[in-house]
Structures are given as C-alpha cells and as structure tokens.
Amino acid sequence: MDGVLIAGAGMTRFAKSAASLRALAAEAVAAALADAGLAADQLQAAYVGNAVAGLVTGQEMIRGQVMLRTVGIEGIPIFNVENACASSSSALHLACVSVASGQHDAVLCLGAEKLTHEDRTVGMAAIGTAVDVELQAEAARQATGRPRSFFMDIYAGMARDYMARSGATAEDFAAVVVKNQHNGGLNPRAQYGGELRVTDVLASRTIVDPLTLLMCSPISDGAAAVVLVSERAAARLGARGPRIRASVVRSGYRHDAGDVRAGAAAHAAQAAYAEAGLGPSELSCVEVHDASAPAELMIYEEIGLADPGEGPALLASGMTRLGGARPVNTSGGLLSKGHPIGATGVAQICEATWQLRGEAGARQVPGARVALTQNGGGWLEDDSAAMAVHVLTSD
Amino acid sequence: MDGVLIAGAGMTRFAKSAASLRALAAEAVAAALADAGLAADQLQAAYVGNAVAGLVTGQEMIRGQVMLRTVGIEGIPIFNVENACASSSSALHLACVSVASGQHDAVLCLGAEKLTHEDRTVGMAAIGTAVDVELQAEAARQATGRPRSFFMDIYAGMARDYMARSGATAEDFAAVVVKNQHNGGLNPRAQYGGELRVTDVLASRTIVDPLTLLMCSPISDGAAAVVLVSERAAARLGARGPRIRASVVRSGYRHDAGDVRAGAAAHAAQAAYAEAGLGPSELSCVEVHDASAPAELMIYEEIGLADPGEGPALLASGMTRLGGARPVNTSGGLLSKGHPIGATGVAQICEATWQLRGEAGARQVPGARVALTQNGGGWLEDDSAAMAVHVLTSD
C-alpha cells in the first residue's frame, strides 16, 4: 500500500466510564483532528467502527452519523462498519483504500464503544453475538446471565488445546499478563496497569479453567480516532506520519484449529508482510489481540514471530518485553489497556503511531521504525470471523 | 467512475417470508453468482448491507460472515456495513471503490434483511433506531408499541410541509401509489402490485394524516446481491454489464428542510451527475426511495427531474409512468416491491441492471440506456442520515 499517512491520532483513556458513547467519540475525534491540524470540515469521508451500540445503547443503524454530528461532522460520506472486535480496523482498511486509490485526501477513522451498562449482563450478552447465534444458541444461552463473556469459554478451550500442543503452562499465560500490565502501567490511557507477579495472576479468581480473571481482557468503554491523508495533503499539512504500508482484512477459514499457519491471522499476516515488502524480523514493535492471555502466545506463532509451539519460549526469552528486540503490546494490550471492542483496532494504530513518532513516553521503543497491529473479531467454528493486520513504518 | 461492471444480479422475491435471513441471503447470492457465471471461491471480497439483524434476529457483529458461510464464502475480506435503509447502497459504494481502484477484480455486494418477527413491535422498534435515539427518545417511546413505524410520523410531517409548499394533495400521493402498484404488478419479485384506483388508496386506513396505509412501504423480508467486476474480469467472463458510472454517498446536512436543492439527496444527485458526466434529462429509468408516497414527489425535485414545487405536475404529466419518457420505480418501488430495509439499495441496482440489459419483462423500458438509483437511510433533525445515488449505463 502506498500514499497513506496518519496525520493525526487521538484516543480517550480506556476505562469503565460514565461518559456517553458520543462524548467518548467526540473526545477522540477532537484529539485526532487537533493532532493533524485539521478542521472537522476538511474531512472528506468518515469510516466508523462500532460493534454493539445497537444492543447496549439502543443506537443502531446510523451510529457514526449520531456520534460525528456532535463534533460538527455532517454531509460527508459516513460508513458504519461492524466486524465484532475487528470493527474499527476493518473500517480503517476501507479508509486506507479510499485514500490509497486517490478517492479522498483526508478521511477520519473512528472506533468507539460503550460496553458498560447498568445491567452488567447486557454487555456480556452483546459480546456473545459475535458468533453464529443460531448455531451456537444453546451454548450462548448457557453463558447468558453468567458473569463472564461467552468468548472466555471459547478462549479457554483454545488455551487447553494449545497447552497440549505446545507444552504451555498457566504460568506462561500469567507471564503474558505480568508483561502487559507492566506496559499498561506506563500508558496513561490504559484502564489498568502496574507491577504484578505470576503468582498474583494465578491466584486471581478462575473464570474458566485455565483462565483466571487477570488473564481476561476487561469490560471497557472508550474511543480512538485517526486522520488519514494522502501524500499531497500530508505535504500541505506537514504531517509527520507514520505511513500505512499494508492493510489486510480476512475472514475465517475452515481449517485444523491446531495448525497455526492455516488460520485467518496467519493468512492476513502473510498478506500484510507481502504488501509491505518486509518480514517479522524487521518489526520494531507489535500490538496483538490479547483478548485473553493465551491468545498472545498463539498469535506469536500465527504472525511468524515464533515457530509453531514456540510461543512460550519466545515470551520466556524476553524478546517481546519492553527492552527486548521485539516488544509486543507496549500499550498494555487488551489485557491492561482495556478492550472497548469497536475501538480496539484503531487504538492499536494510535499506539503504533506514537511509537513510530517517538512519542510513546515511558514505554517508547528506542528507534522504532516498523510496527505491526493484529486485531481479530468474532468466532465461527474454528477461526476468527474477521481478522485485520496493518503494517506501519515511520517513513 | 470507471471500470466497474455488474456481472451478475440476483434477488429473492420480497415478501413477509418464513425463510431465515441466511436462507434469503443464500438465494440472492446464488442467483447473482449464477448470473455472473462465477463460483463462490472466485470472489475476492464481500460488502454486506444489513440494518437491523442485531435487533430482530439477535445476530449482531458478524452478520455477513454468518450469512455468506452458508454458501461457501469464507476467508476473503467481509465488511458489514450499516447505514439504515441505505445500508446496502453504502456497501455497494465501498465495493465500487475497491474495483475501480484496482484493488479487486470480482467482489460481491449483498443486501439482506429480515424484518418480520413473531412479535410485530420488534421490527417496528428496530426501524425506530434509525434516528438519534437519545435526542428523539421521547418521540420514539411514544411510537413504540403502536402498529406503525416511527418513520411514518416523520414522513407525515414532511408531507404536510410539502403540501403547504407545493400545493400537492392527498390525491397526488395516492396517484404515486397507483403508478407504483401497477409497476409492481408486472414484477414477479414484488411483494404486492396490481391495479388500484386513487379512491382505493385514499380509502385505506389512515396511518398518520395525510398518510394512508397504502401510501406507506410495507414490512418486508428479502435479499438482493450483485457481483461487481473489473474491466479485465468482465472481458474474461463475457459480462454484459451494465457499468456503474457514478457511486456517491452523502450524509445529511443541517439546512432549511423546505429547500429541496439543499439536502443530502440533492447534493448526492448533483455529485453523481457530475461523476457520470450526464444530467437528469438523459435518464431512461429511475428507482427512488419511496418509503412513503409523498417522498417520491419530493425526490423528483431533489434529483432534478422537476423544479421545486413541480413534483405533482411531473407525476400528472405521465412522464414518470411506464410508457412515459422517464419512468420512475418501474420495479414497483418500495411501496409495491417492498422494503426489506438493508436489501433495498441493491434491489434498486438489480432493477436498473435488468432494465439496462433489456431483461425487465413486462415492465421493460424500451431502449433503456441510463438508470439512476436513489436510496436514503435514517433521519437526523431535518435530513436523511445517509444518502446514496448511483448512475448506471448499458455500455
């Protein structure tokens, strides 16, 4: 992909928030526009990712128009894009295509989500619609009303399979949490963060064996936005970038769930490396979809950071820690930064932007030049329903 | 817009159907693929418009993936696009951009909707979310539980204003219905259709003054799909077209609601004419968003078929009837063909395709060469929240 630069990035702190969806969106959009030095009326189109507002807030159908009108954005094309937890990275892909193709010079991509609700089961039930609700009606029904997302049942099953396949242990999963909570502690926009020990993570309440509470991403509210511009607009604005070098979306394939090189994440990552003309060894920093702690280890293998079965060894080597050669989830990831599902994809892009600009503060990866983000959404049979991988470079 | 051809079009009959959303989608997709002479695994991406499945069927977030897996479409990028009643024409726009830009050679655009539900208020309440539900919470609450869509209150208000402004009468609105039901009677895929008199329409039950039951589009289920291909793929497939010459999406502007040249429909139409390099006098046939009968007359003015206030005179002239110089809603329109909201935009494109190929049977416009479709969605303050206009030519 050529000719697509990030001119501005902005996000709210992720948290269980009293603010409305539109207020969260407004804060993120204002920050991204200010960062880009652009006025709202200079945007030519907007691509809005949100997953569950229809079910949680009652605002279906024209969510983006409602959110964006509060900040004076109207008239332009506005597209509401839904792909479960990959909603806003899917929206970002469409935004990238519109700029790369020359259709637009300056567009907005917003991800926003309000998951908290006075009735806690509402958010949980909404998350449970990211499967085939008809085929999985019985399992979803059993999950309804329990204080956990149906997805943690899915992740726990995957984790057990992964333990059998790779020798990974609950201690390995806990070590992912320790790393990411450390990183989140350095990120002022993270919902949680701080210093934990492996034993703290293992001692937290069991959600579904082998997952403990701290191995599961939290319920979060928040919004993240980026302004994408063409080469021409970037020159005019003096935009610093980074550049988006690859933007790939795939949906799940039917495949052997144990074959880490056969699923949507692997396919999307391979396509993204090819599009960007680089490989995993060139990555300076990586944001992955650690909705549960075991997922991060599996994704190491899927995106080619580690060979099959070698995820735990990669983590243990320290390479993916801050200070290592290839830090993963410097933002804190979904586990620590939080996971307002429709906002997560663009929030990963915000972190990549700040790292590549050298603006990541205490969690800065020195000299970061290439970043990859991986964001998955939904579940069908044996694979993510949607998968997005982006590669960004500092120049 | 250049280099985007329709290789295949297919749709279900629109009706209150016992079939599931995925079964409706499967029927439309299979028909479009067969028409294109393409296998499911030759598609490179899919853009899926649906408005209310999350609220009506419980399937939120990954609707397209769930629908398309039933026909063996998986792995490729799938984008779920929501823009109220303009959901599938918004999806079509994104599909057009992907082909016009050279990103893809063969993509699917599907619109599908299941509005009927054993509890009739469910569909009505879902339709009511196509406004700013927070700002209009009280009005929407009052509308809930009544056997009509909140949108008919909005349309009735617009109709009263339009009558004051243009001198239009209830008889004029009834004459739109007579015309469109006649056309629908010639369309085997229409929900209704047949010969009515103006007095029949006026005598039907009042929904909200001045709208009678027959002046309101019905509750419908259905699906429509098109396969878009590049020039290169069209040559390989021997695709007949038509070609998409303009694809424009806008969102609503704050403006004087009485100024028909100031709203989203007028802006989108003007942009589409400019993009296609032609004007309203060159249109052979037109499909417009007659969700209520008065809307068709207003849209005549908004898209430049008639001067402001001259909608009723244009209708009375016979020009927009079959046999007239510029037939409008040859398919029967939303009033007669039906309005499964997320499917409506692509269904308009199907009608344009068949007209431009000379395949429209008893309702064929002789020698049709240029078609325009106009599809609006949602409502914010004083304008449609989303508006899509497409222009197609036979070669």
Side-chain angles (χ1 to χ4, degrees), chain A:
Chain A
M1 171 160 287
D2 255 344
V4 184
L5 290 92
I6 294 177
M11 60 179 279
T12 66
R13 186 184 163 200
F14 285 178
K16 288 184 172 69
S17 169
S20 67
L21 182 60
R22 75 184 76 202
L24 293 166
E27 181 185 337
V29 171
L33 286 170
D35 188 39
L38 216 65
D41 64 4
Q42 294 176 282
L43 294 169
Q44 295 168 313
Y47 303 79
V48 180
N50 169 270
V52 296
L55 299 176
V56 173
T57 74
Q59 183 68 63
E60 192 84 337
M61 302 229 256
I62 55 166
R63 315 165 191 194
Q65 286 88 338
V66 168
M67 287 191 259
L68 293 176
R69 192 166 268 222
T70 62
V71 287
I73 298 173
E74 57 178 350
I76 60 173
I78 297 175
F79 300 97
N80 298 293
V81 181
E82 202 171 307
N83 253 346
C85 301
S87 291
S88 63
S89 52
S90 296
L92 183 75
H93 174 79
L94 297 167
C96 285
V97 170
S98 84
V99 173
S101 69
Q103 186 190 16
H104 297 304
D105 278 320
V107 304
L108 178 73
C109 182
L110 166 66
E113 203 75 66
K114 181 84 189 165
L115 273 179
T116 58
H117 187 281
E118 54 188 12
D119 177 356
R120 186 174 153 78
T121 62
V122 167
M124 291 298 187
I127 295 170
T129 68
V131 298
D132 185 325
V133 295
E134 199 175 307
L135 291 183
Q136 304 208 283
E138 179 54 24
R141 193 192 61 73
Q142 288 180 10
T144 299
R146 294 187 308 192
R148 69 176 186 244
S149 151
F150 180 40
F151 268 77
M152 291 308 151
D153 296 83
I154 295 171
Y155 273 118
M158 290 167 65
R160 290 190 295 267
D161 290 346
Y162 183 67
M163 292 167 93
R165 198 163 72 232
S166 69
T169 64
E171 283 73 16
D172 294 323
F173 305 153
V176 171
V177 179
V178 170
K179 171 179 77 70
N180 292 357
Q181 290 288 358
H182 168 78
N183 296 353
L186 305 175
N187 182 355
R189 295 181 184 86
Q191 182 167 358
Y192 297 111
E195 303 312 315
L196 292 173
R197 294 163 304 176
V198 163
T199 50
D200 298 327
V201 179
L202 294 175
S204 68
R205 176 164 66 81
T206 295
I207 300 297
V208 196
D209 184 61
L211 303 180
T212 67
L213 179 68
L214 291 171
M215 294 180 196
C216 302
S217 56
I219 292 290
S220 318
D221 306 319
V226 291
V227 175
L228 302 186
V229 296
S230 66
E231 209 72 65
R232 183 171 54 181
R236 199 170 58 234
L237 288 164
R240 285 166 292 169
R243 287 170 186 276
I244 297 182
R245 297 294 187 174
S247 174
V248 173
V249 174
R250 292 287 182 272
S251 56
Y253 292 79
R254 264 171 275 228
H255 70 282
D256 170 4
D259 183 354
V260 297
R261 298 279 165 89
H267 279 267
Q270 284 158 17
Y273 290 132
E275 191 172 311
L278 50 79
S281 66
E282 291 167 79
L283 302 177
S284 313
C285 54
V286 179
E287 293 285 307
V288 303
H289 196 81
D290 58 331
S292 74
E296 180 166 319
L297 301 182
M298 294 179 233
I299 297 162
Y300 288 171
E301 303 173 19
E302 292 174 314
I303 66 174
L305 297 185
D307 286 332
E310 298 299 320
L314 180 70
L315 178 74
S317 77
M319 186 184 258
T320 61
R321 279 203 295 260
L322 275 174
R326 200 152 296 121
V328 173
N329 285 328
T330 57
S331 69
L334 285 57
L335 288 167
S336 177
K337 184 180 55 185
H339 183 27
I341 56 182
T344 287
V346 174
Q348 291 180 328
I349 299 293
C350 288
E351 177 69 9
T353 299
W354 294 321
Q355 287 288 355
L356 295 174
R357 286 185 186 164
E359 295 177 354
R363 65 191 189 284
Q364 180 65 46
V365 175
R369 283 198 54 252
V370 183
L372 178 143
T373 68
Q374 176 268 343
N375 179 212
W379 193 255
L380 280 174
E381 300 184 43
D382 51 16
D383 205 351
S384 295
M387 183 62 62
V389 174
H390 287 82
V391 175
L392 298 85
T393 62
S394 54
D395 56 18

Side-chain angles (χ1 to χ4, degrees), chain B residues 126-159:
Chain B
I127 295 169
T129 66
V131 297
D132 185 324
V133 296
E134 197 175 309
L135 291 182
Q136 305 208 283
E138 180 55 23
R141 193 192 59 73
Q142 288 179 10
T144 299
R146 293 185 310 190
R148 69 174 187 246
S149 152
F150 179 40
F151 268 76
M152 291 307 151
D153 297 83
I154 295 171
Y155 273 117
M158 290 167 65

